Amino acid sequence: MSRFGDATAVERVGEGRYRVELDGAFGFAEALNGGYLMAVLARAAVDASPHRHPVATCANFLRVAKAGPAEVRVEQRKTGRTATAAHVSLVQDDRVAVDALITTADLAPDAEPDWVGAPPSPPLPPVERCKHVEPSERDRGFADHVELHFDPATLGWLDGRPSGRPECRAWFRLRDPYEPDAFALALAVDALPPVVLNTGAKGWAPTVEMTWHMRAVPAPGLLELHGRGRMVTGGWFDEEVEVWDSAGRLVAQSRQLARVGRPPSR
Amino acid sequence: MSRFGDATAVERVGEGRYRVELDGAFGFAEALNGGYLMAVLARAAVDASPHRHPVATCANFLRVAKAGPAEVRVEQRKTGRTATAAHVSLVQDDRVAVDALITTADLAPDAEPDWVGAPPSPPLPPVERCKHVEPSERDRGFADHVELHFDPATLGWLDGRPSGRPECRAWFRLRDPYEPDAFALALAVDALPPVVLNTGAKGWAPTVEMTWHMRAVPAPGLLELHGRGRMVTGGWFDEEVEVWDSAGRLVAQSRQLARVGRPPSR
């Protein structure tokens, strides 16, 4: 039916224990995508909770996860009327690959914000003026399933002319088709190339810690991803992504702390 | 010597177990301050780590912590050359009050950023043009130890004239004296009154999840706190705080997801 749906499916095998089959298609040469892993963890957290939406997820990426079987462990820490908090881990080969805290709650699909800030600036150009980049062979799997249309102003690093600012902006959708939901948002907040490519860094930029918040139930259609960073220092950088939906609503916010990449070794 | 130093001291009593005596002075009528609790957790995480600085802290606030004895439990999840990740909990009366993931690493005190964004806008007025608010009786303890000088533009809520935007800005220091360090930063990122007071909300706004990043070793002197939110919806709001030091450097970033407050019941 849906590759992303299948790839994030969790099977309950015991109290707070879920069997998963990680799909190598949602990764690159180096590792499975962190957003994909957060989507898998969120499925288990929601299954184990009386609430439907992962409103707050913090994840520590400890070890590279590989395609194949793994287990998600959900330890409930507090269940309340408004929200449920859990400690959720992804375990593979008897080692913790991802350690997370996930809070679930219920967001009303038709909620209107009481207050919302201005949309991100600069705006994302219309999709027809954005650039779809054919993936390199090593990025093949991910790009076969995730469609990104980039703001050309943030693609200068591809031609050796980085913009000089840590930034990246793109339209996002799953090719499946799979309409935006909580789990697609988990993937979306980590789908952009690292913003530090535009300050001249090269190579893979491993995420150490990532937190994202689901703020609204997304409408069907394309999502806008607005990524930027505030500081690059001592080998560390932050990357914030705001996700806006086709109805013009802020649906997710993230921040990650990551290591500046090194060029891939030959 | 220093009340804040004493109030955050941890005593190792076993493998990954620390005894603490929580100090009611760092709280309000309703609860101990979340930043104070994060400072206590960070002390234990740093003690148990080969690294000195809590570069990433995610905390779920599950239950109100009270003044008095408590235990911090530190479970190492991965120790590496660059960083160490731990699952850290604050336990009081056999219940988990705060559940956290803390990554420690080493920041060079004299690091110069490779890239940094513009300072927050609008700037904070000079301290002599800011407003020191005499605390109400119920906020007495916290304000006896934490000195805040507010940008008057963000204090309208006090007179029933909120600015209409979720924002709050202030100069910060500990009265002790206690110069800024990693633990003072943990306190600083949660020291402001909730930004939603300026969109008309009243009362206590309980933090559900808070993540903060230490980005640089702070210089001695006053710290600038720049707080804002992006959206208030369905009873939830986000609050981001940037902390800049007296040398004009970005030293910490935070975001929390919290519940919009209700007026205190009579």
Side-chain angles (χ1 to χ4, degrees):
Chain A
M1 310 279 282
S2 149
R3 178 79 175 249
F4 180 68
D6 290 345
T8 55
V10 298
E11 181 195 353
R12 191 171 183 281
V13 291
E15 179 69 26
R17 293 177 49 228
Y18 294 84
R19 208 186 66 79
V20 299
E21 184 72 26
L22 299 178
D23 185 343
F26 291 93
F28 301 90
E30 297 88 352
L32 290 173
N33 173 262
Y36 164 62
L37 298 176
M38 292 196 298
V40 171
L41 296 182
R43 286 246 195 240
V46 166
D47 185 88
S49 166
H51 303 291
R52 281 170 303 162
H53 299 121
V55 295
T57 300
C58 317
N60 278 4
F61 294 91
L62 305 176
R63 296 174 183 91
V64 164
K66 304 180 306 292
E71 186 170 290
V72 181
R73 295 181 188 159
V74 182
E75 187 193 356
Q76 300 293 1
R77 304 292 270 179
K78 185 192 172 190
T79 299
R81 197 172 48 86
T82 306
T84 290
H87 177 211
V88 185
S89 315
L90 179 71
V91 179
Q92 196 173 47
D93 300 335
D94 294 323
R95 286 147 58 102
V96 179
V98 185
D99 211 13
L101 300 177
I102 301 182
T103 302
T104 45
D106 295 302
L107 301 173
D110 51 356
E112 287 295 325
D114 298 305
W115 189 92
V116 63
S121 176
L124 193 53
V127 66
E128 61 275 12
R129 283 200 268 145
C130 284
K131 208 162 150 185
H132 183 63
V133 181
E134 274 308 305
S136 65
E137 201 47 51
R138 70 182 253 290
D139 298 347
R140 192 72 253 175
F142 195 75
D144 281 342
H145 299 285
V146 176
E147 187 179 314
L148 292 166
H149 298 269
F150 291 93
D151 180 344
T154 66
L155 270 188
W157 58 274
L158 268 183
D159 306 316
R161 288 194 300 274
S163 73
R165 295 177 299 277
E167 60 182 351
C168 190
R169 295 182 288 278
W171 297 92
F172 167 101
R173 78 170 148 208
L174 279 158
R175 292 189 197 268
D176 259 357
Y178 179 104
E179 289 297 354
D181 66 2
F183 312 109
L185 291 178
L187 186 67
V189 292
D190 196 33
L192 292 172
V195 292
V196 284
L197 294 175
N198 266 320
T199 56
K202 289 183 168 64
W204 188 40
T207 303
V208 172
E209 185 277 329
M210 182 154 189
T211 299
W212 78 278
H213 296 119
M214 179 177 180
R215 303 302 311 279
V217 178
L222 288 166
L223 295 171
E224 291 188 31
L225 310 186
H226 294 261
R228 59 169 204 135
R230 287 293 280 150
M231 187 161 71
V232 185
T233 185
W236 298 91
F237 72 99
D238 60 293
E239 173 171 325
E240 286 91 48
V241 177
E242 282 197 357
V243 185
W244 291 67
D245 74 1
S246 62
R249 294 179 315 158
L250 175 60
V251 290
Q253 295 169 281
S254 73
R255 178 177 291 145
Q256 62 174 279
L257 186 70
R259 296 291 295 169
V260 176
R262 298 185 200 143
S265 50
R266 295 189 219 189
Chain B
M1 310 280 281
S2 149
R3 179 77 176 251
F4 180 68
D6 291 345
T8 54
V10 297
E11 181 195 354
R12 191 172 183 280
V13 291
E15 179 70 27
R17 292 177 50 228
Y18 294 84
R19 206 187 66 80
V20 299
E21 185 71 26
L22 299 177
D23 185 342
F26 291 92
F28 302 91
E30 298 88 351
L32 290 173
N33 173 262
Y36 164 61
L37 299 176
M38 292 195 298
V40 171
L41 296 183
R43 286 245 195 241
V46 166
D47 185 88
S49 166
H51 303 292
R52 281 170 305 163
H53 299 120
V55 295
T57 300
C58 317
N60 278 3
F61 294 91
L62 305 176
R63 296 173 183 91
V64 165
K66 305 181 305 293
E71 185 170 289
V72 180
R73 295 181 188 158
V74 181
E75 186 193 356
Q76 301 292 1
R77 303 293 270 178
K78 185 191 171 189
T79 299
R81 197 172 49 85
T82 306
T84 290
H87 177 210
V88 186
S89 315
L90 179 71
V91 179
Q92 195 173 48
D93 300 335
D94 293 323
R95 287 147 57 102
V96 179
V98 185
D99 211 13
L101 300 177
I102 301 182
T103 302
T104 45
D106 294 302
L107 300 174
D110 52 355
E112 286 295 326
D114 297 304
W115 189 93
V116 62
S121 175
L124 193 53
V127 66
E128 61 275 12
R129 282 200 272 145
C130 284
K131 208 162 150 185
H132 182 65
V133 181
E134 274 309 305
S136 66
E137 200 49 52
R138 70 183 253 291
D139 299 346
R140 193 72 252 174
F142 194 75
D144 281 342
H145 300 284
V146 177
E147 188 178 314
L148 292 167
H149 299 269
F150 292 93
D151 180 345
T154 66
L155 270 188
W157 58 273
L158 268 183
D159 306 315
R161 286 192 301 273
S163 72
R165 294 177 300 277
E167 60 182 351
C168 189
R169 294 182 288 279
W171 297 92
F172 167 101
R173 78 170 148 207
L174 278 158
R175 291 188 197 269
D176 259 358
Y178 180 103
E179 289 297 352
D181 66 1
F183 313 108
L185 291 178
L187 186 67
V189 292
D190 197 33
L192 292 172
V195 292
V196 286
L197 295 173
N198 267 320
T199 56
K202 288 184 168 61
W204 188 39
T207 303
V208 172
E209 185 277 330
M210 180 153 189
T211 299
W212 78 279
H213 296 119
M214 179 177 181
R215 302 303 309 279
V217 179
L222 288 166
L223 296 171
E224 291 189 30
L225 310 185
H226 295 260
R228 60 170 204 135
R230 287 292 280 149
M231 186 161 72
V232 185
T233 186
W236 298 92
F237 72 99
D238 59 292
E239 174 170 325
E240 286 92 46
V241 177
E242 282 197 356
V243 185
W244 291 68
D245 73 1
S246 62
R249 296 179 313 159
L250 174 60
V251 290
Q253 295 169 281
S254 73
R255 178 178 290 145
Q256 62 174 280
L257 186 71
R259 296 291 295 169
V260 176
R262 298 186 198 141
S265 49
R266 294 189 220 187

